[in-house]
Structure formats: structure tokens, C-alpha cells
Amino acid sequence: MTIGSIFHDMWEIFITYYIGQGLLWSGIGYTLLLSAIAVVAGALLGSLLAIGKMSRFKVLHWIITAFVEIMRGTPALLQLYIAYFIVPMIFSSLDLTPIACVAVGLSLNSAAYVSEIIRSGIQAVDKGQTEAARALGLTSKTTMLKIVLPQAIKNILPALGNEFITIIKETSLASTFFVGELMTTYAVIKGVTFNTVPTLMDIGVIYFVMTFTLSKLLGLAEKKMKEGA
Amino acid sequence: MIMNMLEVKNIYKNFGSLKVLKGVSTTVEKGEVISIIGASGSGKSTLLRCMNLLEEPTFGEVWIEGQLMTPVDPYLHFDVIRKSKTYKKLVESGMEDMDAIHKIKSEDLLLEKHSQEGSEYKALMDKIYKENHIETNLGRRKMSMVFQQFNLFNNLTVLDNIMLAPIETAKYNKVKDMAAEKAKIKEQAMTLLKRIGLEDKANVYPSKLSGGQKQRIAIVRSLAMNPDVMLFDEPTSALDPEMIGEVLDLMKELAAAGMTMVIVTHEMGFAREVSDRVLFVDEGYIKEEGSPKDVFDNPKDPRLQDFLSKVL
């Protein structure tokens, strides 16, 4: 097998399977679907976790800290396995598909990371801003809504974009459960062609195009936001 | 009864095991300009920050216009101490009234939980609190603070910086015609900006301003709340030398207009010129206080003499 023949096979496989059989669109579709669910659910849940972690209730603080540390300290694949088996048990009446279980696992994982992004984004706002607001007699709620959060969002949004890119890559773990996202196409095509390396390289190119495009878009958005202030 | 503008009574402040203030009392009267001087780490900024409760005093009370900002400190009320079980036990064991009170105060004998000292004690503590307490945010609106680092709100324009707190106060007071109120607040803000010659900066964000401009705007932001007392925490220490003058001039103008001011400063010339009274804070105590003439020309405390010889 020469380098030339690898590129040749990459092209063949791409045309025949990814375009011809539509694996490109289904693969990207499922990957983006999973990523979008994980990012949106992760951001919502992550915000709640961040608020909970900053609350005065010590018990809540400790529970959330433990959750975040465990999610960050164990492999995502392991978490997906556990979600894959446990989620159907908990919601046995719902008859959940494997992709739904994987989405739950990814969302929980992303929530842990997002909560830290939000918390550090809020804490990165200069303490003097809060002090000035409180010294003017503003309540802690008004201070948070009018002064701290608007400034924190500028720290949070870029990091959230990076988290989106990370999650796009992490959805590849879902191929373990054969849910149809991009990485699953490897097993499909390999089963027919027995041609591993060109297939993997095709997949690599597709992932790269997705993440590179997204990161450029995010960069543009970030630049716009900086000019806005 | 003469009502004092601002009164701190026997303030202690500990940060963990570090004792920063060790029993500071002073009274600020209406129209008075007080400068607080002292070396770095002496506790002078902490004292100022205790006045508006940005730091909560460990012990002691802060009163603004006859209203209590802090919890009741039982050690400041003999009638409260006399209601405590601890006092009653001491007296029963044969101790004289004042001796018992003195012993309780000096050895910090009162129990942390009010109910542990009996219902009479708790009832009196609650009564004093209820009769005198003012909500922290309301108290703070009477005494605005100007910071060393300006602390203008980075996400708001200059005009919005000035208008935010008055608008929130109007909302709190449930003003009916908010549109008219906002127009009034805006007009007042513009008048204040004109007064410092920065009306052309109204729609600019703070990042585009010089340090001196920022601090003058921070001062009028405080003024927009029509405060009764203004607290200044080293307002010129973060400024380039050529900008100190413009800020000090504005402060002199305020002092001349009769504003009650408490100023933590390293500007000794300024302190001597504008102050009615100077406090020298050292090692957590007010070591000396008096007119600028007494404090600067005839210092008695050896630490003050040493301090002045270094800074003058």
C-alpha cells in the first residue's frame, strides 16, 4: 500500500459511501445533533450547577462540587457506558433509544465542564465592580444581573464555544454504542471494504472541517463582541 | 438629642487570626471633613470599609443618622449585660455591679447564642435591634464610597454608571411615573457631568477614559445618590501624578460646599488643608486625633512623629 493509493482509496470511499450512500450527511447530522443537545442541555444544567455551587447552602455546594469533580475525574467513555445502562433503568417506561441515553451521558458530562466555565467566568469579574455596586446600595441580585453577569458573559462565551468543539470530538465515543454518528460510519464501511486507514482518514478530514469551520466562526463572533463594547 | 451623621462604636475586625482593628470609636458630625492617615496595613482602609459594611465588623456597632447598620453588640449596652445569665451569676456570687460588667466585657464572657443568656436578655437585644436597625442597602445609600481603583462599571457608559443606582432606588421606592423620574435622573446626571466638564464623555465607556477622569466620574456617581456622607478610600493613590490635582480640586470643592466626608489618604498636604479633624490609625487603634494643626505640627504619639517624619 503506497501513500498514493491511500489518497486514491480515500477519494473512492468518500464518493461511494459518504456521498453515494449518504453516510456523510447522516454521520454529520447525528454528530451535530448529539453535540447540540449536549451543549444546550449542558449549558442550562451547567448554569444551575454554577449557581448552586456559589450558593450559601453548604450541602448543595458540596454535592455539586462532588458531582463536578467526579465527572471531570473519570473517563467520558465510562460515563457513557454507565448512562447507556442506567438511564433506561431509571426511565424504564419511556423506551429510550441508545442515542437518547448517550445524549443524557454527554449532557451530564458537558454540564460539569460548563458549570466550571460559568463559575470561573463570574469569579474573573473584578471584585471592585461588586463592591462599588454594593456600596451604592444595590442589592446582590441587581449587582449580579446588571453588573457582574454582563461582564462575565464576555469571559464565558468564548470558553463555551471551545466546549462545543470539544464535545463535537467527544461524540465520537458514542460510536461504541453504534448510534450512527460520524465515527460509527467507520465500522459500517470497514465491514464492507476491509479498508481501514483511508476510511479513518476520511473521517478525520470531515471532523477537522467541522471543528475548524466552527472555531473560525467563533473567532469572528468573539471579535465582533469585543468591538461592541 | 444631637444626631450624629455617622458613628462607629468600639469596632473590632479580625481576618481569621489577624486582628486589624482593636476597638475603634469615632463620631462624624454633619459637614465635618475627617482625614484618616496612617501607614500601609495600619487598618485605616478597613476602618473606612467597616463604616459602610463592605467589611462586617467582628464586634462593635455602626450607626448612620441614629440608625443601626450592624447587629447589636451587647458589650456596648450595660442594660443588656445586666439581663444576661452570666451577669446574674457573677452578681449572685457576690461581685459588685460594675466589677461584673467590667469582667464580662474584658473577658468576652457573653455566650454567642442570645437565647443561652436567657429570654430577658434576648428580648432586650431584639428590642434594641428592632427599634434602631436600618437595612444595609438603605444605610449604604446614605453614604456612598469612592474607591482607589475607581471601580466604574465597565459594561456601562459613563451616563449609565451615574444613573444606575438612582434609577434602582426609584424602583425600590416604587416611584409611579418612572419615565419622568428617569428623565429627571438623567438631567441631574448631565448637570453633574457638566460640573466636572466631562459632559462630552456621557456616552463613552470607562475603558476610554484617563484615571483622573474615571475618578472624577466615580465621585459624581456617588454624588448622584445625594449622600449624606461620602467615604473616600485613597482616591488618588492609583492616579498618575499629573492627575491627582484635578481629583483633589473636586474634593475641595465638595468640602467647601459643606459635604460630610471621611477620607483615607496619603496626601498629607491635602489632609491638612481640608480636614476639620485628622485621625492617625496605627496597629488597629486610633492613636491620635485632633485638628490638622495639632496632629501635623504638634504630634504627641511617638509612632505618629515617626510616621510624619517619613512622609512629610
Side-chain angles (χ1 to χ4, degrees):
Chain A
M1 192 161 64
T2 63
I3 296 292
S5 75
I6 289 181
F7 284 126
H8 177 263
D9 288 359
M10 275 175 71
W11 181 249
E12 285 279 283
I13 289 169
F14 187 76
I15 293 297
T16 316
Y17 295 95
Y18 282 101
I19 302 294
Q21 298 197 5
L23 286 178
L24 178 67
W25 310 117
S26 69
I28 288 179
Y30 279 117
T31 291
L32 285 183
L33 177 70
L34 268 179
S35 315
I37 290 174
V39 164
V40 173
L44 293 175
L45 190 57
S47 316
L48 293 180
L49 290 179
I51 293 167
K53 194 167 173 179
M54 287 182 294
S55 93
R56 273 167 296 177
F57 301 108
K58 276 275 143 40
V59 181
L60 191 62
H61 172 87
W62 289 121
I63 291 173
I64 291 170
T65 305
F67 172 78
V68 170
E69 290 303 321
I70 288 168
M71 294 308 270
R72 297 205 301 174
T74 55
L77 184 57
L78 178 90
Q79 294 163 13
L80 290 191
Y81 262 110
I82 293 175
Y84 185 73
F85 290 117
I86 279 192
V87 172
M89 282 189 222
I90 298 173
F91 302 101
S92 53
S93 59
L94 288 181
D95 195 22
L96 291 170
T97 57
I99 196 164
C101 304
V102 171
V104 170
L106 277 173
S107 299
L108 289 175
N109 177 280
S110 136
Y113 285 93
V114 170
S115 77
E116 284 301 284
I117 289 171
I118 292 175
R119 192 186 56 81
S120 63
I122 288 173
Q123 284 176 353
V125 175
D126 178 19
K127 226 178 108 221
Q129 299 283 308
T130 309
E131 287 191 345
R134 299 313 304 277
L136 283 165
L138 300 184
T139 60
S140 56
K141 190 177 142 206
T142 309
T143 305
M144 197 39 128
L145 290 178
K146 300 251 157 120
I147 304 300
V148 177
L149 280 183
Q151 295 185 48
I153 281 172
K154 290 198 179 135
N155 307 329
I156 291 168
L157 280 185
L160 216 53
N162 291 334
E163 174 67 10
F164 192 23
I165 290 171
T166 305
I167 285 181
I168 287 182
K169 291 183 284 175
E170 275 195 355
T171 53
S172 64
L173 295 172
S175 65
T176 312
F177 311 99
F178 219 76
V179 297
E181 43 60 69
L182 204 48
M183 197 67 201
T184 310
T185 62
Y186 168 64
V188 174
I189 296 168
K190 187 188 74 177
V192 185
T193 65
F194 302 104
N195 204 349
T196 52
V197 175
T199 312
L200 288 170
M201 287 176 66
D202 272 339
I203 294 173
V205 169
I206 298 167
Y207 270 121
F208 182 76
V209 169
M210 281 168 67
T211 54
F212 188 75
T213 312
L214 188 61
S215 91
K216 285 291 149 200
L217 286 177
L218 289 169
L220 274 179
E222 205 175 314
K223 218 175 137 195
K224 266 258 164 71
M225 207 169 70
K226 282 218 175 99
E227 283 164 3
Chain B
M1 189 178 86
I2 300 165
M3 194 163 69
N4 297 313
M5 212 62 173
L6 178 66
E7 190 172 11
V8 293
K9 290 181 177 174
N10 207 29
I11 295 286
Y12 285 76
K13 179 64 189 177
N14 304 338
F15 292 104
S17 60
L18 183 70
K19 293 183 166 67
V20 178
L21 296 177
K22 302 166 188 166
V24 174
S25 303
T26 194
T27 302
V28 183
E29 276 158 40
K30 189 170 161 50
E32 209 177 11
V33 177
I34 295 185
S35 291
I36 305 177
I37 61 169
S40 298
S42 57
K44 58 189 191 305
S45 274
T46 306
L47 172 59
L48 194 77
R49 292 164 59 85
C50 278
M51 288 179 180
N52 69 351
L53 260 56
L54 277 187
E55 303 292 351
E56 266 174 57
T58 312
F59 297 108
E61 292 176 355
V62 177
W63 293 73
I64 173 87
E65 293 174 1
Q67 287 179 292
L68 182 62
M69 295 267 291
T70 50
V72 180
D73 180 354
Y75 293 107
L76 292 173
H77 304 268
F78 288 4
D79 47 346
V80 171
I81 294 177
R82 288 195 185 101
K83 299 267 191 238
S84 71
K85 280 183 180 166
T86 309
Y87 169 86
K88 286 170 188 165
K89 254 181 238 161
L90 288 176
V91 173
E92 268 166 35
S93 70
M95 206 179 256
E96 291 289 327
D97 171 68
M98 280 316 289
D99 290 343
I101 287 176
H102 181 72
K103 186 176 163 68
I104 287 171
K105 279 174 72 117
S106 60
E107 295 175 27
D108 185 14
L109 293 179
L110 291 175
L111 299 167
E112 192 82 22
K113 274 209 172 137
H114 297 169
S115 51
Q116 287 172 310
E117 288 287 1
S119 57
E120 267 184 55
Y121 171 88
K122 189 178 179 305
L124 186 56
M125 286 284 278
D126 290 348
K127 182 167 172 272
I128 295 175
Y129 185 76
K130 229 183 218 166
E131 279 173 359
N132 299 293
H133 174 68
I134 181 172
E135 208 186 302
T136 306
N137 290 328
L138 298 185
R140 281 174 175 158
R141 286 173 198 167
K142 295 175 187 284
M143 49 174 163
S144 50
M145 183 179 244
V146 174
F147 297 85
Q148 186 179 350
Q149 300 294 341
F150 332 127
N151 295 344
L152 290 182
F153 304 131
N154 298 322
N155 58 319
L156 301 179
T157 61
V158 166
L159 191 60
D160 287 337
N161 258 281
I162 301 172
M163 288 170 60
L164 177 65
I167 287 176
E168 290 300 323
T169 306
K171 279 186 200 163
Y172 175 88
N173 291 332
K174 300 207 165 63
V175 171
K176 287 223 178 69
D177 189 354
M178 267 313 277
E181 183 69 14
K182 268 185 194 168
K184 207 176 100 192
I185 290 169
K186 185 173 175 184
E187 198 190 311
Q188 195 191 15
M190 286 309 295
T191 310
L192 284 167
L193 278 175
K194 265 182 210 135
R195 181 168 164 188
I196 56 171
L198 291 177
E199 67 266 40
D200 57 324
K201 303 287 184 196
N203 297 312
V204 165
Y205 283 92
S207 58
K208 303 270 190 280
L209 301 169
S210 75
Q213 291 172 334
K214 282 184 194 172
Q215 193 61 302
R216 284 187 291 145
I217 287 163
I219 291 173
V220 296
R221 176 176 70 177
S222 297
L223 275 178
M225 290 296 286
N226 297 317
D228 299 328
V229 188
M230 289 182 79
L231 310 176
F232 294 83
D233 190 4
E234 301 193 25
T236 57
S237 297
L239 292 174
D240 292 335
E242 73 270 22
M243 293 175 181
I244 292 176
E246 57 186 88
V247 171
L248 293 185
D249 285 345
L250 176 57
M251 290 171 65
K252 280 178 203 165
E253 215 180 282
L254 292 177
M259 177 60 75
T260 313
M261 296 158 77
V262 183
I263 309 162
V264 169
T265 185
H266 289 294
E267 297 287 329
M268 296 305 154
F270 172 75
R272 178 201 284 260
E273 190 185 331
V274 301
S275 309
D276 298 308
R277 189 150 54 94
V278 179
L279 310 182
F280 172 62
V281 174
D282 186 48
E283 296 173 319
Y285 302 99
I286 294 178
K287 285 271 177 74
E288 189 159 336
E289 70 175 291
S291 69
K293 207 167 165 14
D294 290 344
V295 169
F296 289 114
D297 297 338
N298 194 13
K300 289 172 200 69
D301 184 81
R303 298 270 303 187
L304 174 58
Q305 289 165 358
D306 185 44
F307 173 74
L308 289 176
S309 74
K310 280 177 190 149
V311 295
L312 287 181

